[in-house]
Amino acid sequence: MFKKKAQVQKASYDKENQIPIMKCSICNGERVAGFKNIHTGEFREECFIRNDAELEAFMYKYAITDLPKEY
């Protein structure tokens, strides 16, 4: 009858070599959150963002306070 909220496990990323970033499409508004390697510029997709709740869950999971956008 009552659904329990899914537990979000904390995770980490390589803070010395990667920065969290959200790639956004200008055409269709698609948003993908992930990590960009600061040395090579390679982007590693972590999750597809469909709404604000998923964005908040991603930021909570990786303890991110600021998530810059890249187009």
Side-chain angles (χ1 to χ4, degrees):
M1 188 155 153
F2 295 102
K3 292 184 180 181
K4 288 185 179 181
K5 262 191 166 176
Q7 294 285 333
V8 177
Q9 291 187 350
K10 294 277 186 167
S12 63
Y13 62 96
D14 186 5
K15 294 180 180 175
E16 293 179 9
N17 297 318
Q18 295 178 332
I19 57 170
I21 201 160
M22 182 166 50
K23 284 201 164 223
C24 302
S25 172
I26 295 173
C27 300
N28 57 13
E30 181 179 277
R31 300 182 298 173
V32 177
F35 301 99
K36 183 176 182 180
N37 188 317
I38 58 174
H39 302 295
T40 63
E42 180 182 347
F43 181 73
R44 182 185 66 150
E45 293 181 7
E46 190 64 34
C47 73
F48 183 73
I49 305 295
R50 291 177 284 231
N51 54 37
D52 289 337
E54 290 181 355
L55 177 60
E56 289 177 17
F58 174 78
M59 292 178 73
Y60 177 78
K61 180 178 180 180
Y62 290 100
I64 299 169
T65 56
D66 184 38
L67 190 62
K69 293 181 181 180
E70 186 175 278
Y71 296 94

